[in-house]
PDB file of all heavy atoms in Angstrom:
ATOM      1  N   GLY A 193      -0.881   7.819   5.191  1.00 98.00           N
ATOM      2  CA  GLY A 193       0.378   8.482   4.828  1.00 98.00           C
ATOM      3  C   GLY A 193       0.339   8.989   3.400  1.00 98.00           C
ATOM      4  O   GLY A 193       1.272   8.788   2.625  1.00 98.00           O
ATOM      5  N   ALA A 194      -0.741   9.698   3.061  1.00 98.00           N
ATOM      6  CA  ALA A 194      -0.992  10.022   1.643  1.00 98.00           C
ATOM      7  C   ALA A 194      -0.612  11.453   1.286  1.00 98.00           C
ATOM      8  O   ALA A 194      -0.961  11.918   0.217  1.00 98.00           O
ATOM      9  CB  ALA A 194      -2.470   9.769   1.318  1.00 98.00           C
ATOM     10  N   ASN A 195       0.117  12.142   2.173  1.00 98.00           N
ATOM     11  CA  ASN A 195       0.493  13.520   1.825  1.00 98.00           C
ATOM     12  C   ASN A 195       1.945  13.624   1.376  1.00 98.00           C
ATOM     13  O   ASN A 195       2.499  14.716   1.297  1.00 98.00           O
ATOM     14  CB  ASN A 195       0.209  14.483   2.989  1.00 98.00           C
ATOM     15  CG  ASN A 195       1.051  14.187   4.218  1.00 98.00           C
ATOM     16  OD1 ASN A 195       1.647  13.107   4.319  1.00 98.00           O
ATOM     17  ND2 ASN A 195       1.093  15.129   5.141  1.00 98.00           N
ATOM     18  N   SER A 196       2.556  12.493   1.052  1.00 98.00           N
ATOM     19  CA  SER A 196       3.972  12.499   0.671  1.00 98.00           C
ATOM     20  C   SER A 196       4.283  11.234  -0.128  1.00 98.00           C
ATOM     21  O   SER A 196       3.608  10.208   0.030  1.00 98.00           O
ATOM     22  CB  SER A 196       4.837  12.527   1.944  1.00 98.00           C
ATOM     23  OG  SER A 196       6.210  12.433   1.642  1.00 98.00           O
ATOM     24  N   GLY A 197       5.276  11.324  -0.988  1.00 98.00           N
ATOM     25  CA  GLY A 197       5.889  10.149  -1.597  1.00 98.00           C
ATOM     26  C   GLY A 197       4.934   9.161  -2.252  1.00 98.00           C
ATOM     27  O   GLY A 197       4.075   9.524  -3.057  1.00 98.00           O
ATOM     28  N   ILE A 198       5.086   7.895  -1.875  1.00 98.00           N
ATOM     29  CA  ILE A 198       4.317   6.808  -2.490  1.00 98.00           C
ATOM     30  C   ILE A 198       2.825   6.961  -2.203  1.00 98.00           C
ATOM     31  O   ILE A 198       1.991   6.800  -3.111  1.00 98.00           O
ATOM     32  CB  ILE A 198       4.839   5.443  -1.965  1.00 98.00           C
ATOM     33  CG1 ILE A 198       6.239   5.163  -2.530  1.00 98.00           C
ATOM     34  CG2 ILE A 198       3.872   4.324  -2.337  1.00 98.00           C
ATOM     35  CD1 ILE A 198       6.936   3.954  -1.913  1.00 98.00           C
ATOM     36  N   GLY A 199       2.472   7.277  -0.971  1.00 98.00           N
ATOM     37  CA  GLY A 199       1.054   7.409  -0.616  1.00 98.00           C
ATOM     38  C   GLY A 199       0.373   8.493  -1.426  1.00 98.00           C
ATOM     39  O   GLY A 199      -0.769   8.335  -1.874  1.00 98.00           O
ATOM     40  N   ASN A 216      -5.174  10.351   4.263  1.00 99.00           N
ATOM     41  CA  ASN A 216      -4.722  10.385   5.663  1.00 99.00           C
ATOM     42  C   ASN A 216      -3.329  10.998   5.755  1.00 99.00           C
ATOM     43  O   ASN A 216      -2.483  10.798   4.887  1.00 99.00           O
ATOM     44  CB  ASN A 216      -4.705   8.964   6.239  1.00 99.00           C
ATOM     45  CG  ASN A 216      -3.861   8.877   7.514  1.00 99.00           C
ATOM     46  OD1 ASN A 216      -2.757   8.341   7.491  1.00 99.00           O
ATOM     47  ND2 ASN A 216      -4.335   9.431   8.603  1.00 99.00           N
ATOM     48  N   TYR A 217      -3.111  11.729   6.851  1.00 98.00           N
ATOM     49  CA  TYR A 217      -1.790  12.271   7.145  1.00 98.00           C
ATOM     50  C   TYR A 217      -1.672  12.388   8.651  1.00 98.00           C
ATOM     51  O   TYR A 217      -2.684  12.406   9.370  1.00 98.00           O
ATOM     52  CB  TYR A 217      -1.599  13.645   6.486  1.00 98.00           C
ATOM     53  CG  TYR A 217      -2.466  14.719   7.084  1.00 98.00           C
ATOM     54  CD1 TYR A 217      -1.949  15.623   8.016  1.00 98.00           C
ATOM     55  CD2 TYR A 217      -3.817  14.801   6.769  1.00 98.00           C
ATOM     56  CE1 TYR A 217      -2.755  16.593   8.595  1.00 98.00           C
ATOM     57  CE2 TYR A 217      -4.632  15.766   7.353  1.00 98.00           C
ATOM     58  CZ  TYR A 217      -4.097  16.653   8.266  1.00 98.00           C
ATOM     59  OH  TYR A 217      -4.898  17.598   8.849  1.00 98.00           O
ATOM     60  N   VAL A 218      -0.437  12.453   9.137  1.00 98.00           N
ATOM     61  CA  VAL A 218      -0.249  12.667  10.575  1.00 98.00           C
ATOM     62  C   VAL A 218       0.178  14.094  10.852  1.00 98.00           C
ATOM     63  O   VAL A 218      -0.285  14.707  11.793  1.00 98.00           O
ATOM     64  CB  VAL A 218       0.702  11.629  11.197  1.00 98.00           C
ATOM     65  CG1 VAL A 218       2.135  11.782  10.713  1.00 98.00           C
ATOM     66  CG2 VAL A 218       0.652  11.672  12.715  1.00 98.00           C
ATOM     67  N   ASP A 219       1.082  14.631  10.029  1.00 98.00           N
ATOM     68  CA  ASP A 219       1.338  16.068  10.053  1.00 98.00           C
ATOM     69  C   ASP A 219       1.635  16.511   8.622  1.00 98.00           C
ATOM     70  O   ASP A 219       1.932  15.699   7.762  1.00 98.00           O
ATOM     71  CB  ASP A 219       2.459  16.453  11.034  1.00 98.00           C
ATOM     72  CG  ASP A 219       3.671  15.577  10.895  1.00 98.00           C
ATOM     73  OD1 ASP A 219       3.993  15.198   9.755  1.00 98.00           O
ATOM     74  OD2 ASP A 219       4.300  15.268  11.916  1.00 98.00           O
ATOM     75  N   ALA A 243      -4.755  11.649  11.268  1.00 99.00           N
ATOM     76  CA  ALA A 243      -4.824  10.544  12.234  1.00 99.00           C
ATOM     77  C   ALA A 243      -3.464   9.857  12.304  1.00 99.00           C
ATOM     78  O   ALA A 243      -2.837   9.618  11.269  1.00 99.00           O
ATOM     79  CB  ALA A 243      -5.892   9.513  11.841  1.00 99.00           C
ATOM     80  N   ASP A 244      -3.041   9.570  13.511  1.00 99.00           N
ATOM     81  CA  ASP A 244      -1.824   8.773  13.724  1.00 99.00           C
ATOM     82  C   ASP A 244      -2.245   7.303  13.632  1.00 99.00           C
ATOM     83  O   ASP A 244      -3.032   6.831  14.458  1.00 99.00           O
ATOM     84  CB  ASP A 244      -1.262   9.108  15.109  1.00 99.00           C
ATOM     85  CG  ASP A 244      -0.045   8.274  15.470  1.00 99.00           C
ATOM     86  OD1 ASP A 244       0.231   7.252  14.807  1.00 99.00           O
ATOM     87  OD2 ASP A 244       0.627   8.636  16.456  1.00 99.00           O
ATOM     88  N   VAL A 245      -1.717   6.577  12.648  1.00 99.00           N
ATOM     89  CA  VAL A 245      -2.197   5.197  12.444  1.00 99.00           C
ATOM     90  C   VAL A 245      -1.828   4.261  13.592  1.00 99.00           C
ATOM     91  O   VAL A 245      -2.387   3.166  13.694  1.00 99.00           O
ATOM     92  CB  VAL A 245      -1.692   4.588  11.106  1.00 99.00           C
ATOM     93  CG1 VAL A 245      -2.260   5.326   9.914  1.00 99.00           C
ATOM     94  CG2 VAL A 245      -0.165   4.528  11.067  1.00 99.00           C
ATOM     95  N   ASN A 271      -0.244   2.430   3.874  1.00 98.00           N
ATOM     96  CA  ASN A 271       1.037   2.874   3.322  1.00 98.00           C
ATOM     97  C   ASN A 271       1.918   3.584   4.334  1.00 98.00           C
ATOM     98  O   ASN A 271       3.137   3.597   4.183  1.00 98.00           O
ATOM     99  CB  ASN A 271       0.734   3.795   2.127  1.00 98.00           C
ATOM    100  CG  ASN A 271       1.941   4.595   1.701  1.00 98.00           C
ATOM    101  OD1 ASN A 271       2.813   4.087   0.998  1.00 98.00           O
ATOM    102  ND2 ASN A 271       2.023   5.846   2.147  1.00 98.00           N
ATOM    103  N   ALA A 272       1.319   4.190   5.365  1.00 98.00           N
ATOM    104  CA  ALA A 272       2.103   5.014   6.295  1.00 98.00           C
ATOM    105  C   ALA A 272       3.279   4.222   6.851  1.00 98.00           C
ATOM    106  O   ALA A 272       3.138   3.066   7.246  1.00 98.00           O
ATOM    107  CB  ALA A 272       1.214   5.506   7.440  1.00 98.00           C
ATOM    108  N   GLY A 273       4.435   4.860   6.862  1.00 98.00           N
ATOM    109  CA  GLY A 273       5.600   4.172   7.394  1.00 98.00           C
ATOM    110  C   GLY A 273       6.734   5.142   7.612  1.00 98.00           C
ATOM    111  O   GLY A 273       6.737   6.249   7.074  1.00 98.00           O
ATOM    112  N   LEU A 274       7.696   4.725   8.420  1.00 98.00           N
ATOM    113  CA  LEU A 274       8.844   5.583   8.700  1.00 98.00           C
ATOM    114  C   LEU A 274      10.045   4.734   9.083  1.00 98.00           C
ATOM    115  O   LEU A 274       9.945   3.517   9.265  1.00 98.00           O
ATOM    116  CB  LEU A 274       8.513   6.602   9.809  1.00 98.00           C
ATOM    117  CG  LEU A 274       7.768   6.123  11.053  1.00 98.00           C
ATOM    118  CD1 LEU A 274       8.614   5.239  11.946  1.00 98.00           C
ATOM    119  CD2 LEU A 274       7.268   7.317  11.856  1.00 98.00           C
ATOM    120  N   VAL A 294       4.114   2.202  14.178  1.00 98.00           N
ATOM    121  CA  VAL A 294       3.559   2.855  12.985  1.00 98.00           C
ATOM    122  C   VAL A 294       3.492   1.854  11.824  1.00 98.00           C
ATOM    123  O   VAL A 294       2.433   1.659  11.207  1.00 98.00           O
ATOM    124  CB  VAL A 294       4.403   4.092  12.576  1.00 98.00           C
ATOM    125  CG1 VAL A 294       3.920   4.650  11.238  1.00 98.00           C
ATOM    126  CG2 VAL A 294       4.326   5.156  13.665  1.00 98.00           C
ATOM    127  N   MET A 329       1.485  -1.809   2.216  1.00 99.00           N
ATOM    128  CA  MET A 329       2.751  -1.350   1.643  1.00 99.00           C
ATOM    129  C   MET A 329       3.879  -1.970   2.452  1.00 99.00           C
ATOM    130  O   MET A 329       4.107  -1.630   3.605  1.00 99.00           O
ATOM    131  CB  MET A 329       2.832   0.184   1.658  1.00 99.00           C
ATOM    132  CG  MET A 329       3.834   0.740   0.659  1.00 99.00           C
ATOM    133  SD  MET A 329       3.475   0.265  -1.067  1.00 99.00           S
ATOM    134  CE  MET A 329       1.946   1.170  -1.382  1.00 99.00           C
ATOM    135  N   SER A 330       4.544  -2.913   1.818  1.00 98.00           N
ATOM    136  CA  SER A 330       5.662  -3.575   2.479  1.00 98.00           C
ATOM    137  C   SER A 330       6.951  -2.971   1.949  1.00 98.00           C
ATOM    138  O   SER A 330       7.063  -1.761   1.755  1.00 98.00           O
ATOM    139  CB  SER A 330       5.565  -5.080   2.242  1.00 98.00           C
ATOM    140  OG  SER A 330       6.573  -5.744   2.949  1.00 98.00           O
ATOM    141  N   SER A 331       7.930  -3.820   1.634  1.00 98.00           N
ATOM    142  CA  SER A 331       9.232  -3.341   1.152  1.00 98.00           C
ATOM    143  C   SER A 331      10.015  -4.564   0.698  1.00 98.00           C
ATOM    144  O   SER A 331       9.749  -5.688   1.155  1.00 98.00           O
ATOM    145  CB  SER A 331       9.979  -2.649   2.294  1.00 98.00           C
ATOM    146  OG  SER A 331      11.352  -2.514   1.987  1.00 98.00           O
ATOM    147  N   TYR A 344      13.119  -1.530  11.117  1.00 98.00           N
ATOM    148  CA  TYR A 344      12.362  -1.369   9.864  1.00 98.00           C
ATOM    149  C   TYR A 344      12.183  -2.730   9.163  1.00 98.00           C
ATOM    150  O   TYR A 344      11.073  -3.098   8.764  1.00 98.00           O
ATOM    151  CB  TYR A 344      13.110  -0.395   8.945  1.00 98.00           C
ATOM    152  CG  TYR A 344      12.409  -0.082   7.642  1.00 98.00           C
ATOM    153  CD1 TYR A 344      11.423   0.903   7.582  1.00 98.00           C
ATOM    154  CD2 TYR A 344      12.727  -0.759   6.460  1.00 98.00           C
ATOM    155  CE1 TYR A 344      10.776   1.198   6.384  1.00 98.00           C
ATOM    156  CE2 TYR A 344      12.096  -0.473   5.269  1.00 98.00           C
ATOM    157  CZ  TYR A 344      11.119   0.520   5.227  1.00 98.00           C
ATOM    158  OH  TYR A 344      10.487   0.807   4.035  1.00 98.00           O
ATOM    159  N   LYS A 348       8.667  -4.886   8.294  1.00 98.00           N
ATOM    160  CA  LYS A 348       8.243  -5.314   6.958  1.00 98.00           C
ATOM    161  C   LYS A 348       8.125  -6.842   6.884  1.00 98.00           C
ATOM    162  O   LYS A 348       7.236  -7.377   6.207  1.00 98.00           O
ATOM    163  CB  LYS A 348       9.205  -4.775   5.890  1.00 98.00           C
ATOM    164  CG  LYS A 348       9.248  -3.240   5.827  1.00 98.00           C
ATOM    165  CD  LYS A 348       7.886  -2.616   5.524  1.00 98.00           C
ATOM    166  CE  LYS A 348       7.961  -1.102   5.380  1.00 98.00           C
ATOM    167  NZ  LYS A 348       6.670  -0.477   5.048  1.00 98.00           N
ATOM    168  N   PRO A 374       7.883  -2.272  -2.582  1.00 98.00           N
ATOM    169  CA  PRO A 374       8.693  -1.383  -3.426  1.00 98.00           C
ATOM    170  C   PRO A 374      10.182  -1.622  -3.192  1.00 98.00           C
ATOM    171  O   PRO A 374      10.606  -2.009  -2.097  1.00 98.00           O
ATOM    172  CB  PRO A 374       8.306   0.028  -2.943  1.00 98.00           C
ATOM    173  CG  PRO A 374       7.078  -0.144  -2.096  1.00 98.00           C
ATOM    174  CD  PRO A 374       7.167  -1.527  -1.539  1.00 98.00           C
ATOM    175  N   GLY A 375      10.953  -1.368  -4.249  1.00 98.00           N
ATOM    176  CA  GLY A 375      12.416  -1.316  -4.092  1.00 98.00           C
ATOM    177  C   GLY A 375      12.804   0.099  -3.716  1.00 98.00           C
ATOM    178  O   GLY A 375      12.267   0.657  -2.760  1.00 98.00           O
ATOM    179  N   ALA A 376      13.752   0.678  -4.451  1.00 97.00           N
ATOM    180  CA  ALA A 376      14.186   2.058  -4.152  1.00 97.00           C
ATOM    181  C   ALA A 376      13.327   3.031  -4.950  1.00 97.00           C
ATOM    182  O   ALA A 376      13.426   3.102  -6.169  1.00 97.00           O
ATOM    183  CB  ALA A 376      15.654   2.221  -4.525  1.00 97.00           C
ATOM    184  N   ILE A 377      12.490   3.765  -4.235  1.00 97.00           N
ATOM    185  CA  ILE A 377      11.571   4.714  -4.867  1.00 97.00           C
ATOM    186  C   ILE A 377      11.981   6.124  -4.436  1.00 97.00           C
ATOM    187  O   ILE A 377      12.318   6.352  -3.268  1.00 97.00           O
ATOM    188  CB  ILE A 377      10.107   4.439  -4.434  1.00 97.00           C
ATOM    189  CG1 ILE A 377       9.758   2.942  -4.589  1.00 97.00           C
ATOM    190  CG2 ILE A 377       9.142   5.319  -5.213  1.00 97.00           C
ATOM    191  CD1 ILE A 377       9.843   2.383  -5.987  1.00 97.00           C
ATOM    192  N   THR A 379      11.555   9.141  -2.917  1.00 95.00           N
ATOM    193  CA  THR A 379      10.651   9.846  -1.988  1.00 95.00           C
ATOM    194  C   THR A 379      11.489  10.448  -0.859  1.00 95.00           C
ATOM    195  O   THR A 379      12.685  10.137  -0.724  1.00 95.00           O
ATOM    196  CB  THR A 379       9.612   8.889  -1.354  1.00 95.00           C
ATOM    197  OG1 THR A 379      10.253   8.116  -0.335  1.00 95.00           O
ATOM    198  CG2 THR A 379       8.953   7.977  -2.372  1.00 95.00           C
ATOM    199  N   PRO A 380      10.858  11.253   0.003  1.00 93.00           N
ATOM    200  CA  PRO A 380      11.609  11.858   1.108  1.00 93.00           C
ATOM    201  C   PRO A 380      12.179  10.852   2.121  1.00 93.00           C
ATOM    202  O   PRO A 380      13.096  11.184   2.867  1.00 93.00           O
ATOM    203  CB  PRO A 380      10.568  12.769   1.777  1.00 93.00           C
ATOM    204  CG  PRO A 380       9.576  13.083   0.709  1.00 93.00           C
ATOM    205  CD  PRO A 380       9.504  11.836  -0.127  1.00 93.00           C
ATOM    206  N   ILE A 381      11.652   9.622   2.165  1.00 90.00           N
ATOM    207  CA  ILE A 381      12.100   8.679   3.203  1.00 90.00           C
ATOM    208  C   ILE A 381      13.560   8.282   2.991  1.00 90.00           C
ATOM    209  O   ILE A 381      14.241   7.887   3.931  1.00 90.00           O
ATOM    210  CB  ILE A 381      11.188   7.416   3.231  1.00 90.00           C
ATOM    211  CG1 ILE A 381      11.131   6.783   4.628  1.00 90.00           C
ATOM    212  CG2 ILE A 381      11.634   6.370   2.235  1.00 90.00           C
ATOM    213  CD1 ILE A 381      10.131   5.621   4.764  1.00 90.00           C
ATOM    214  N   ASN A 382      14.048   8.370   1.739  1.00 91.00           N
ATOM    215  CA  ASN A 382      15.386   7.854   1.425  1.00 91.00           C
ATOM    216  C   ASN A 382      16.210   8.836   0.601  1.00 91.00           C
ATOM    217  O   ASN A 382      17.016   8.416  -0.243  1.00 91.00           O
ATOM    218  CB  ASN A 382      15.262   6.512   0.679  1.00 91.00           C
ATOM    219  CG  ASN A 382      14.457   6.651  -0.609  1.00 91.00           C
ATOM    220  OD1 ASN A 382      13.998   7.743  -0.934  1.00 91.00           O
ATOM    221  ND2 ASN A 382      14.306   5.570  -1.346  1.00 91.00           N
TER     222      ASN A 382
HETATM  223  P1  LIG B 236       7.446   9.276   2.904  1.00 80.08           P
HETATM  224  O1  LIG B 236       8.232   9.648   4.094  1.00 80.08           O
HETATM  225  O2  LIG B 236       7.416  10.200   1.735  1.00 80.08           O
HETATM  226  O3  LIG B 236       5.935   8.958   3.306  1.00 80.08           O
HETATM  227  C1  LIG B 236       5.585   8.319   4.516  1.00 80.08           C
HETATM  228  C2  LIG B 236       4.196   8.766   4.875  1.00 80.08           C
HETATM  229  O4  LIG B 236       3.781   8.123   6.085  1.00 80.08           O
HETATM  230  C3  LIG B 236       4.118  10.272   5.113  1.00 80.08           C
HETATM  231  O5  LIG B 236       2.926  10.776   4.561  1.00 80.08           O
HETATM  232  C4  LIG B 236       4.076  10.338   6.634  1.00 80.08           C
HETATM  233  O6  LIG B 236       3.480  11.525   7.102  1.00 80.08           O
HETATM  234  C5  LIG B 236       3.244   9.117   6.939  1.00 80.08           C
HETATM  235  N1  LIG B 236       3.291   8.736   8.343  1.00 80.08           N
HETATM  236  C6  LIG B 236       4.373   8.546   9.139  1.00 80.08           C
HETATM  237  N2  LIG B 236       3.991   8.240  10.390  1.00 80.08           N
HETATM  238  C7  LIG B 236       2.621   8.214  10.380  1.00 80.08           C
HETATM  239  C8  LIG B 236       1.631   7.959  11.356  1.00 80.08           C
HETATM  240  N3  LIG B 236       1.970   7.664  12.624  1.00 80.08           N
HETATM  241  N4  LIG B 236       0.335   8.023  10.992  1.00 80.08           N
HETATM  242  C9  LIG B 236      -0.019   8.335   9.730  1.00 80.08           C
HETATM  243  N5  LIG B 236       0.873   8.590   8.757  1.00 80.08           N
HETATM  244  C10 LIG B 236       2.174   8.535   9.084  1.00 80.08           C
HETATM  245  O7  LIG B 236       8.016   7.858   2.466  1.00 80.08           O
HETATM  246  P2  LIG B 236       7.543   6.843   1.310  1.00 80.08           P
HETATM  247  O8  LIG B 236       8.776   6.369   0.674  1.00 80.08           O
HETATM  248  O9  LIG B 236       6.476   7.429   0.485  1.00 80.08           O
HETATM  249  O10 LIG B 236       6.987   5.642   2.206  1.00 80.08           O
HETATM  250  C11 LIG B 236       5.686   5.120   2.079  1.00 80.08           C
HETATM  251  C12 LIG B 236       5.695   3.637   2.407  1.00 80.08           C
HETATM  252  O11 LIG B 236       6.467   2.959   1.416  1.00 80.08           O
HETATM  253  C13 LIG B 236       6.316   3.288   3.755  1.00 80.08           C
HETATM  254  O12 LIG B 236       5.576   2.244   4.358  1.00 80.08           O
HETATM  255  C14 LIG B 236       7.699   2.788   3.379  1.00 80.08           C
HETATM  256  O13 LIG B 236       8.219   1.889   4.321  1.00 80.08           O
HETATM  257  C15 LIG B 236       7.397   2.116   2.054  1.00 80.08           C
HETATM  258  N6  LIG B 236       8.569   1.920   1.202  1.00 80.08           N
HETATM  259  C16 LIG B 236       9.233   2.974   0.642  1.00 80.08           C
HETATM  260  C17 LIG B 236      10.332   2.722  -0.171  1.00 80.08           C
HETATM  261  C18 LIG B 236      11.118   3.823  -0.845  1.00 80.08           C
HETATM  262  O14 LIG B 236      12.155   3.533  -1.453  1.00 80.08           O
HETATM  263  N7  LIG B 236      10.682   5.062  -0.806  1.00 80.08           N
HETATM  264  C19 LIG B 236      10.769   1.417  -0.377  1.00 80.08           C
HETATM  265  C20 LIG B 236      10.073   0.376   0.225  1.00 80.08           C
HETATM  266  C21 LIG B 236       8.966   0.627   1.006  1.00 80.08           C
END
Side-chain angles (χ1 to χ4, degrees):
N195 64 345
S196 176
I198 290 171
N216 163 254
Y217 68 100
V218 68
D219 47 37
D244 176 345
V245 295
N271 165 80
L274 44 70
V294 173
M329 201 59 68
S330 184
S331 164
Y344 183 84
K348 298 301 184 178
I377 311 299
T379 76
I381 209 174
N382 58 0

